Amino acid sequence: MNIVVIGAGYVGLVTGTCFAELGNLVTCVDINAKKISQLKKGVLPIYEPGLEPMVNSNLKNGRLNFASSLKEIKTAPHVIFIAVGTPSDKNGDADMQYVLAAAKDIGAFIKDDCIVVDKSTVPVGVADQVKNSIQAELKKRKLKTKFEIVSNPEFLREGAAIEDFMRPDRVIVGCASNKAKMIMLDLYTPIVRNPEKIYFMNVKDAEMTKYVANAMLATKISFMNEMALLCERMGVDVENVRIGIGSDSRIGNSFIYPGCGYGGSCFPKDVKALIKMAEKNNVDPAVLRAVEERNKNQKYVLPQKITKHFGKDLSNKKIGVWGLSFKPGTDDMREASSLVLIEKLIEQGANVQAYDPVAMPVARDLFPENWFKTGKLNFTEHQYDALKEVDALVLVTEWQSFCYPDFSAMKKLMRQHVIFDGRNQYDPKQVKLAEFKYYGIGRE
Ligand SMILES: NC(=O)c1ccc[n+]([C@@H]2O[C@H](COP(=O)([O-])OP(=O)(O)OC[C@H]3O[C@@H](n4cnc5c(N)ncnc54)[C@H](O)[C@@H]3O)[C@@H](O)[C@H]2O)c1
């Protein structure tokens, strides 16, 4: 099939590359011309395990192409995916400007019948706006091209995106016609194998499914973070509680790990957008508001523990930070807990020395340049360099290389032997045996 993917970010690039890998002819279009010129050379704008070799092999075999405008595409696509960003606007609503701009571009581009598949996460009803926008452009061009809007929300996880795309738990497709259903079946059958894993529903139901899935996962995390605080106050180890409740098949083990708050490009903005949808429809989103509030506060739990240990004035303290990205396996820094932590530490006078296996180039642009110039903030080349002469280590992102560290080497490097474990990665007994003071989340 001829496929166009609009937006070559985390979702668009993975979608386009994986469909090319499966034998389709794919062009990924992005308005960011610099990104496209790099992609044409096989240089990726993001870190995603396994993606770079797949992009390069499909570039070489000619199944994957890149363009900075739809105008560059000469062959009519059967399917056009919209995979542009849908960030929060200043009110917390999902900002539809990129989706609607893409729709306008599609209306100005298509001549032949096709289906337009919305992969971006969009509020219920946006498919109609996309349709109207395309229709308006076709009308200006006096064309009667037939097209249909399909909703096909994406559930991939950054850091495991290829695996998730190629072996999804399920594929959600919202569409109205049998023709669209057959095209989507054709596209996804090689991936899913078992067609029962493709769930067809109407467009609005599919749009809503994505938000409810993310809100449910965010709720599990925030609930568990709240329970962790309570456990800590009552001398209970939340990790034992987690194992205890996770073994209940009605609850399950996923997304119940206490930590220093969720981040990323999806949960924060999607919870916000769902709150807005509820308010507009006169439903009080009490649970969603609590989820958001708990998460906002959770990002301050580590700074609070550090303040409790060292006092408010951190001006003569140097703090080592392991992990910057919002989770392991990605360089995505959107809404990362490390941003809140580092800002707070520097505000309280500390110097910060941080290391992340892949996110440092992205993170560098997110902090004020003078913090680097004045030495307030420093990124190190190796993970153990971040511990030189520090008064404490704060683990923020549980990258594998941080999970089994050499405690005796750490002891020699660090000025004071204190660990704040924001992801409960370490066994407190082992850390204490190594003569470190240990602070976890929901445990001592
Ligand atoms: N990142 C994830 O893990 C993930 C997972 C599931 C769903 N989603 C959803 O997928 C969508 C995309 O997310 P993302 O993380 O890939 O975003 P992203 O910010 O990484 O990428 C979006 C890309 O779209 C491009 N773009 C914007 N307007 C354009 C236009 N008119 N024409 C062409 N390109 C345009 C941008 O330049 C950017 O490269 C969002 O709705 C998001 O909620 C994301």
Side-chain angles (χ1 to χ4, degrees):
M1 244 186 265
N2 269 339
I3 297 174
V4 165
V5 180
I6 304 184
Y10 286 88
V11 167
L13 191 57
V14 170
T15 302
T17 308
C18 288
F19 277 132
E21 179 77 7
L22 293 165
N24 299 287
L25 195 62
V26 180
T27 307
C28 291
V29 181
D30 202 292
I31 43 169
N32 184 334
K34 194 172 156 209
K35 200 181 254 190
I36 290 299
S37 82
Q38 292 289 90
L39 279 166
K40 281 180 176 172
K41 293 181 217 150
V43 179
L44 269 60
I46 54 166
Y47 172 82
E48 182 60 47
L51 189 57
E52 192 169 333
M54 208 187 261
V55 166
N56 277 289
S57 75
N58 283 287
L59 263 176
K60 268 201 197 107
N61 65 33
R63 285 203 300 262
L64 183 61
N65 295 288
F66 293 101
S68 51
S69 159
L70 286 170
K71 288 180 198 136
E72 295 170 36
I73 299 172
K74 303 293 171 228
T75 328
H78 303 104
V79 183
I80 303 177
F81 281 94
I82 300 178
V84 300
T86 50
S88 297
D89 69 12
K90 59 180 187 324
N91 303 317
D93 275 309
D95 185 349
M96 284 302 108
Q97 64 166 309
Y98 305 104
V99 169
L100 295 176
K104 201 167 172 230
D105 290 347
I106 293 169
F109 161 67
I110 53 172
K111 293 191 194 89
D112 300 282
D113 297 355
C114 62
I115 63 166
V116 175
V117 183
D118 197 352
K119 216 172 221 328
S120 297
T121 304
V122 296
V124 173
V126 166
D128 291 337
Q129 292 178 38
V130 169
K131 185 177 171 186
N132 293 342
S133 177
I134 297 174
Q135 200 74 66
E137 289 303 307
L138 286 171
K139 202 171 164 194
K140 280 188 209 159
R141 295 163 66 210
K142 299 190 175 51
L143 288 179
K144 291 216 160 57
T145 308
K146 288 202 191 79
F147 69 94
E148 180 179 339
I149 311 294
V150 171
S151 169
N152 171 219
E154 182 52 59
F155 296 92
L156 61 77
R157 294 163 302 166
E158 287 175 19
I162 293 181
E163 174 71 14
D164 285 352
F165 194 91
M166 292 299 210
R167 286 185 192 77
D169 287 345
R170 42 61 181 104
V171 174
I172 301 292
V173 177
C175 65
S177 78
N178 207 40
K179 186 181 165 200
K181 186 175 172 179
M182 288 304 136
I183 291 173
M184 295 304 281
L185 260 178
D186 266 5
L187 261 181
Y188 277 106
T189 303
I191 300 174
V192 177
R193 303 270 166 129
N194 177 0
E196 280 168 19
K197 278 187 165 184
I198 309 182
Y199 294 94
F200 289 98
M201 52 186 78
N202 73 40
V203 171
K204 282 184 174 180
D205 299 353
E207 288 172 332
M208 188 65 170
T209 300
K210 174 65 192 176
Y211 279 105
V212 177
N214 274 357
M216 174 63 92
L217 297 175
T219 302
K220 284 183 91 175
I221 296 172
S222 274
F223 173 79
M224 211 52 199
N225 281 338
E226 193 157 295
M227 292 306 106
L229 293 182
L230 186 55
C231 286
E232 206 172 297
R233 292 282 160 86
M234 299 195 299
V236 172
D237 185 339
V238 73
E239 287 300 318
N240 285 332
V241 175
R242 175 182 64 73
I243 292 162
I245 65 163
S247 56
D248 182 333
S249 61
R250 295 169 304 174
I251 297 171
N253 282 306
S254 313
F255 288 81
I256 57 168
Y257 289 79
C260 50
Y262 62 74
S265 68
C266 292
F267 289 1
K269 77 170 176 65
D270 291 349
V271 169
K272 274 195 180 70
L274 199 51
I275 288 173
K276 286 288 167 187
M277 271 184 261
E279 285 170 351
K280 281 178 195 160
N281 287 283
N282 297 319
V283 172
D284 176 20
V287 174
L288 294 171
R289 266 201 297 264
V291 168
E292 196 186 28
E293 184 74 6
R294 162 57 42 226
N295 194 55
K296 210 166 80 194
N297 295 337
Q298 198 68 16
K299 292 186 178 174
Y300 288 94
V301 164
L302 283 174
Q304 280 155 6
K305 283 175 187 283
I306 295 166
T307 302
K308 199 169 168 202
H309 180 89
F310 288 116
K312 207 165 176 228
D313 180 10
L314 300 176
S315 53
N316 55 357
K317 298 286 175 294
K318 196 196 266 188
I319 309 289
V321 172
W322 273 359
L324 294 166
S325 55
F326 87 91
K327 68 169 184 177
T330 181
D331 60 355
D332 199 337
M333 286 291 300
R334 288 177 278 191
E335 308 264 353
S337 298
S338 65
L339 295 169
V340 174
L341 171 81
I342 291 173
E343 191 179 333
K344 198 78 191 120
L345 291 176
I346 288 182
E347 188 188 294
Q348 287 179 231
N351 281 5
V352 176
Q353 212 159 253
Y355 171 81
D356 186 284
V358 301
M360 292 190 296
V362 179
R364 226 199 130 84
D365 292 339
L366 303 177
F367 294 105
E369 188 48 38
N370 75 319
W371 286 1
F372 293 101
K373 275 193 188 140
T374 55
K376 289 293 324 158
L377 179 57
N378 176 22
F379 289 169
T380 63
E381 207 176 318
H382 302 289
Q383 78 180 60
Y384 287 99
D385 291 348
L387 303 185
K388 276 185 191 157
E389 294 296 311
V390 296
D391 296 284
L393 161 67
V394 192
L395 179 100
V396 184
T397 318
E398 66 280 30
W399 285 93
Q400 268 175 4
S401 63
F402 302 147
C403 292
Y404 296 98
D406 181 344
F407 288 115
S408 57
M410 288 163 69
K411 241 175 120 184
K412 284 186 198 132
L413 290 166
M414 292 168 70
R415 193 154 59 193
Q416 295 193 60
H417 304 140
V418 189
I419 295 178
F420 296 92
D421 180 357
R423 301 289 174 188
N424 288 356
Q425 284 303 293
Y426 304 130
D427 174 357
K429 281 197 202 100
Q430 200 193 346
V431 177
K432 282 172 198 165
L433 260 179
E435 296 173 326
F436 280 85
K437 175 80 188 146
Y438 177 82
Y439 295 95
I441 306 284
R443 65 195 328 204
E444 284 298 320

